[in-house]
Amino acid sequence: QGAIAFKDLHFHYDPERPILKGVSFEVPAGKTVAVVGPSGAGKSTISRLLYRFYDVQKGSITIDGQDVRDVTQKSLRAAIGMVPQDTVLFNDTIAYNIRYGRPGASDAEIEQAAEVAQISHFIKDLPDGFDTKVGERGLKLSGGEKQRVAIARTVLKAPPILILDEATSALDTTTEHEIQSALDIVSKNRTTLVIAHRLSTVVGADEIIVLKGGEIAERGSHSELLAQD
Ligand code: ADP
Ligand code: ADP
């Protein structure tokens, strides 16, 4: 469930400057496909098009054969979970922040999700002092802890489709490995689109798409791409 087909995507923010120039690939249901490439290649734009922050100017995106333009915004956003690079949290308890993933969830379900993300010990805490509007006060939660809250939120939401947009790129190496293994658990058997800078962070993907200048430069498994270098 949740097979995604990107067909001949064309997109520009500014007509003078095309960002995607005919990009086609598929994410089979339950599989993980990673899009890697240099900064500015148009990787995040693909995830924004899937989420319909913007619409393609030519080409199409379908989920299980249905064009995303024919799906209501509400059901599209219910079907897709996103773990972004930098998670912004509400200045309320961590449990409240997790519940945001599915407002109707019970306390037991929130505790379960927190357990998967290994943050059970602080779900009742008020994340005092991390209000992003007063950044000078400094963050109480580390980047890795914030990503764990985002993961718990996604576990609770349990969407068929997952977007991991540079989800570990802001973390130090040790934390990155920890969060990566939590993400591997969450993305198992879910249709997952991973956006990443580096090939080394997407070893487990079923297919890797290398995007350069708005076009697919190479594609294959991690070992196939390494062999070409
Ligand atoms: P990547 O994720 O590969 O780093 P993006 O998809 O974020 O690349 O961006 C591709 C290009 O589009 C970049 O050059 C970026 O500056 C530009 N861009 C991204 N978002 C916008 C926007 N909202 N308006 C104008 N240009 C944008
Ligand atoms: P990230 O790649 O970390 O997700 P963004 O996608 O927000 O970051 O932005 C990627 C690039 O696109 C950045 O260089 C940013 O300055 C540029 N960009 C983002 N939004 C806009 C916008 N609305 N107008 C112009 N440039 C933008």
Side-chain angles (χ1 to χ4, degrees):
Q1 196 202 3
I4 312 167
F6 297 97
K7 286 198 194 101
D8 195 32
L9 300 186
H10 284 78
F11 185 78
H12 57 74
Y13 297 98
D14 165 2
E16 303 282 294
R17 202 170 149 249
I19 302 294
L20 299 176
K21 309 175 197 166
V23 170
S24 301
F25 66 97
E26 291 176 16
V27 190
K31 300 289 183 188
T32 295
V33 171
V35 178
V36 303
S39 185
K43 305 182 297 293
S44 293
T45 297
I46 295 175
S47 66
R48 291 181 208 129
L49 293 172
L50 176 60
Y51 217 64
R52 286 200 68 206
F53 286 131
Y54 303 97
D55 278 324
V56 286
Q57 283 116 6
K58 183 173 166 241
S60 67
I61 301 175
T62 59
I63 298 175
D64 293 327
Q66 188 178 30
D67 196 303
V68 292
R69 284 168 290 202
D70 298 332
V71 180
T72 63
Q73 195 82 309
K74 198 174 166 217
S75 56
L76 186 67
R77 291 186 181 183
I80 302 173
M82 164 99 93
V83 179
Q85 179 172 2
D86 200 7
T87 301
V88 179
L89 298 176
F90 300 107
N91 205 2
D92 202 320
T93 62
I94 298 303
Y96 176 95
N97 276 279
I98 297 171
R99 182 174 269 117
Y100 185 72
R102 183 158 52 85
S106 69
D107 288 349
E109 287 172 314
I110 288 169
E111 280 160 29
Q112 253 168 11
E115 209 164 299
V116 175
Q118 298 179 341
I119 51 173
S120 304
H121 52 293
F122 64 71
I123 61 167
K124 295 205 172 75
D125 287 356
L126 263 176
D128 178 39
F130 77 89
D131 185 346
T132 50
K133 281 175 294 210
V134 285
E136 288 86 356
R137 276 207 279 151
L139 304 184
K140 184 180 172 192
L141 295 192
S142 69
E145 287 167 335
K146 283 202 285 177
Q147 288 311 70
R148 288 186 188 282
V149 177
I151 288 168
R153 201 182 258 178
T154 307
V155 168
L156 189 70
K157 181 170 173 176
I161 295 171
L162 194 58
I163 300 173
L164 308 180
D165 191 347
E166 306 272 13
T168 60
S169 66
L171 307 173
D172 62 69
T173 314
T174 314
T175 313
E176 180 176 354
H177 285 302
E178 284 172 22
I179 298 298
Q180 191 57 54
S181 38
L183 289 173
D184 288 343
I185 294 167
V186 178
S187 61
K188 200 163 193 311
N189 300 325
R190 242 178 252 293
T191 309
T192 306
L193 179 68
V194 180
I195 307 290
H197 272 74
R198 289 175 290 125
L199 211 51
S200 59
T201 58
V202 293
V203 179
D206 295 293
E207 188 182 22
I208 298 168
I209 305 288
V210 181
L211 199 66
K212 280 184 189 152
E215 289 174 307
I216 296 179
E218 289 174 82
R219 62 199 295 171
S221 68
H222 188 259
S223 52
E224 284 165 354
L225 290 177
L226 281 185
Q228 285 171 26
D229 281 343

